[in-house]
Amino acid sequence: MLDQILQFLITGVTVGSTYALVGLGFAIIYNASGVVNFAQGEFVMIGAMSAVWLLAVGMPFPLALLGAVAITTCVGLALNKFAIEPARGATVITTIIITIGAAIFLRGAALLLWGKDIFALPHFSGEETLYFGSATLLPQNLWVMGVTAVLVIAVRWFFDRTLTGKAILACACNKDAARLMGINVGLMLLVSYGMSAFLGAVAGILVAPIAFTSYDAGIMLGLKGFSAAILGGMGSSMGAVAGGLLLGILESLGAGLISSGYKDAMAFTVVLLVLIMRPSGLFGRKAADRV
Amino acid sequence: MPSSDAPLLEVTDLATHYGPIQAIHSVSLEVHPGELVAIVGANGAGKTTLLRTLSGVQPASGGTIHFDGEEITRLPAHRIVARGICQVPEGRQVFAPLSVEDNLRLGGYSQRRDGDWVAQKIAEVYALFPILHEKRGQLAGNLSGGQQQMLAIGRALLGRPRLLLLDEPSMGLAPLLVEEIFRVVRELHEAGTTVLLVEQNANAALQIADRGYVLETGKVVTSAPAAALLEDETVRKAYLGH
């Protein structure tokens, strides 16, 4: 029994790591603009699908991965430049609806380009099973966890230690005051869309060898990442990471111990319960404001 | 009063709309280097809108703004700040979830390539407002109103202002703090900073100003040396309450 639980935990942390990266992407854009970017899941799909495509056209493996991340980041920048920026001044709700439209467009474009087939990337470093106590894991699990850890630390460092990171936080907090400081708010938003797309692409590529990918893979991953972000408290980037890991572990335990058929339902039930009992999320900070 | 020099700020026939509503009608004013100019007027006269338009946060719908001889009417806000127009906005608007020190660093965003200057200026702001140094690690949102006002002023000073715009610095503060804030504004002016001060507290503002403009429903109705405005019968009745 205990061995089984260890096995579920390993699976849960792996899946949760990808949710964490997607959730982090949600949190970054939300932090910078108050907008929930529902095209976040499509970044994950485009990352994985374009990596598959670049491999298929004969690019060497590492280059294909880097190229796919670059393509997705450009898609993120283009989304901001051509869909979000022209609507600046629109309300948050309008902008959110624009991101939903963009998600449908990106999914459709992927369908036309790459078809309906399900693809997988090769594992990064073999498929030889590793033993961790009595539980087993693949090298790819370690890749997922390791790269996620590095990226989470990097994002944390960016927002805690760099002036650009702080400037993005300032835009989120008070756009007009940020402009009065000489911060180019449009540029900061562009940077955050680029970062979110980058994180989404990495998540998609990391998990594609284990979980496969297709033109519509972004829907579920996007929803899970969004759940991670609200579970942790929208706007708290480290909350999104914790939310993602928690969601992954709950899902995996639920699927293993109760029924795998209810895997997704269990994840979303937990999110609903948290929203009912703690609307600001598990780690959402209380507003510190005095007028 | 060095008003014979070329003006640092020259506003000509400026107009601003919020949708179909005209908030400012044809405002013209000048600020000369080294001057402290006050704009007084009742709530809703368009004072805040005027400053927001000068900073480029609110688009102008007519007229021109020249700064140091160059037109800046249509420049984006960050370019205007880079030229040295720094604003202390109405209601402080400090970045509440960030620390006091981070607020100051962000104030120096336009000067970020000159790290030494920013570090030295932050030390100067701490000398000017020792309480900010004491609370430098705390979240700006947890400061009292007066401390937030000091932070907002300090933050604007980090932008290396050639023209400092102050919007209602006395709003919502206890009389003792109002005095403290006005003392600092006067000191900054005496140290050579050019200041454009917007105030409902017309008496306090005109006491320290060189010249004043009276704004009423989006129009300049009077402009004169501050001392003359303080003596003016109509101005006294309307804005000074005696």
Side-chain angles (χ1 to χ4, degrees):
Chain A
M1 185 67 184
L2 219 61
D3 301 339
Q4 255 190 321
I5 289 184
L6 183 63
Q7 186 67 57
F8 296 148
L9 283 178
I10 289 173
T11 313
V13 171
T14 308
V15 177
S17 295
T18 54
Y19 297 168
L21 286 182
V22 182
L24 199 52
F26 271 108
I28 288 171
I29 290 182
Y30 179 81
N31 254 343
S33 61
V35 166
V36 179
N37 168 33
F38 278 106
Q40 189 65 33
E42 308 317 315
F43 294 155
V44 182
M45 176 273 291
I46 293 170
M49 292 294 276
S50 50
V52 169
W53 172 64
L54 288 176
L55 268 184
V57 299
M59 214 178 237
F61 191 61
L63 271 185
L65 299 191
L66 291 179
V69 172
I71 287 174
T72 314
T73 307
C74 290
V75 170
L77 296 175
L79 171 68
N80 176 262
K81 203 81 201 155
F82 300 115
I84 308 295
E85 214 186 270
R88 81 175 147 243
T91 60
V92 166
I93 294 292
T94 311
T95 317
I96 290 174
I97 294 170
I98 291 174
T99 69
I100 296 175
I104 296 170
F105 169 79
L106 290 173
R107 213 177 300 141
L111 176 62
L112 286 177
L113 268 174
W114 297 312
K116 282 186 171 172
D117 294 338
I118 293 173
F119 299 93
L121 278 173
H123 288 239
F124 290 10
S125 44
E127 296 178 48
E128 199 178 328
T129 311
L130 304 169
Y131 292 91
F132 182 71
S134 54
T136 60
L137 73 168
L138 295 167
Q140 193 65 28
N141 292 64
L142 294 178
W143 273 104
V144 175
M145 296 181 218
V147 173
T148 302
V150 169
L151 285 180
V152 166
I153 291 168
V155 167
R156 173 101 211 214
W157 175 83
F158 176 73
F159 283 108
D160 275 0
R161 293 272 172 267
T162 71
L163 191 65
T164 312
K166 305 262 184 208
I168 291 178
L169 294 179
C171 295
C173 165
N174 186 331
K175 211 178 278 184
D176 276 349
R179 293 168 75 192
L180 290 176
M181 299 305 106
I183 296 167
N184 184 343
V185 173
L187 183 66
M188 292 302 131
L189 208 54
L190 189 67
V191 170
S192 34
Y193 272 85
M195 276 176 74
S196 291
F198 174 88
L199 291 173
V202 173
I205 290 168
L206 283 173
V207 81
I210 309 175
F212 309 122
T213 186
S214 60
Y215 80 97
D216 60 355
I219 302 177
M220 199 39 100
L221 276 167
L223 274 178
K224 293 290 172 60
F226 176 57
S227 304
I230 39 180
L231 188 60
M234 207 67 194
S236 151
S237 48
M238 291 307 118
V241 173
L245 292 174
L246 200 61
L247 200 64
I249 290 169
L250 282 173
E251 242 185 51
S252 159
L253 284 179
L257 298 177
I258 304 170
S259 159
S260 56
Y262 289 121
K263 184 177 76 120
D264 295 334
M266 259 175 296
F268 293 131
T269 308
V270 170
V271 172
L272 285 178
L273 285 179
V274 168
L275 277 180
I276 291 165
M277 293 190 283
R278 253 189 89 99
S280 59
L282 293 175
F283 308 97
R285 63 181 104 109
K286 298 218 171 60
D289 214 346
R290 192 184 287 187
V291 183
Chain B
M1 226 180 308
S3 50
S4 55
D5 307 356
L8 183 61
L9 178 77
E10 190 174 16
V11 178
T12 315
D13 295 331
L14 191 68
T16 303
H17 287 77
Y18 284 111
I21 300 159
Q22 188 160 19
I24 293 184
H25 307 261
S26 182
V27 164
S28 298
L29 57 86
E30 284 179 0
V31 180
H32 295 267
E35 262 190 324
L36 197 171
V37 173
I39 299 176
V40 300
N43 206 358
K47 308 187 300 292
T48 294
T49 308
L50 174 60
L51 288 201
R52 285 172 55 83
T53 311
L54 293 182
S55 283
V57 179
Q58 169 76 28
S61 48
T64 57
I65 306 166
H66 283 83
F67 184 66
D68 202 14
E70 288 176 62
E71 180 164 357
I72 58 162
T73 322
R74 312 257 169 250
L75 287 186
H78 63 272
R79 292 258 162 74
I80 293 178
V81 174
R83 286 175 183 232
I85 300 185
C86 301
Q87 184 176 153
V88 181
E90 184 182 32
R92 279 80 80 171
Q93 302 192 29
V94 296
F95 301 115
L98 298 178
S99 73
V100 167
E101 185 135 331
D102 282 342
N103 268 268
L104 291 175
R105 284 212 193 95
L106 284 169
Y109 188 82
S110 61
Q111 307 298 322
R112 61 193 176 280
R113 280 181 194 89
D114 196 350
D116 292 345
W117 183 88
V118 170
Q120 187 202 330
K121 198 70 196 177
I122 288 179
E124 279 178 45
V125 168
Y126 283 151
L128 191 64
F129 302 114
I131 188 76
L132 293 183
H133 183 253
E134 204 176 292
K135 307 214 163 188
R136 62 188 181 279
Q138 290 195 20
L139 298 187
N142 291 339
L143 299 181
S144 73
Q147 292 160 357
Q148 288 192 2
Q149 189 63 64
M150 296 173 194
L151 180 57
I153 293 176
R155 194 177 62 171
L157 292 178
L158 260 300
R160 203 182 277 202
R162 297 175 61 206
L163 172 66
L164 184 63
L165 308 178
L166 288 155
D167 194 352
E168 302 274 9
S170 77
M171 191 171 75
L173 298 186
L176 220 60
L177 278 168
V178 174
E179 227 169 88
E180 164 83 6
I181 296 293
F182 274 95
R183 180 185 59 78
V184 169
V185 173
R186 203 178 52 225
E187 278 177 17
L188 289 172
H189 172 224
E190 277 162 7
T193 312
T194 311
V195 180
L196 182 58
L197 168 68
V198 152
E199 260 298 339
Q200 266 192 78
N201 187 344
N203 201 13
L206 292 173
Q207 295 285 351
I208 61 169
D210 298 319
R211 284 189 307 117
Y213 290 86
V214 178
L215 207 61
E216 240 173 54
T217 57
K219 286 178 213 130
V220 172
V221 291
T222 316
S223 75
L229 283 179
L230 277 170
E231 296 302 316
D232 186 294
E233 204 53 43
T234 41
V235 172
R236 285 176 60 158
K237 279 225 176 69
Y239 301 108
L240 303 176
H242 54 88

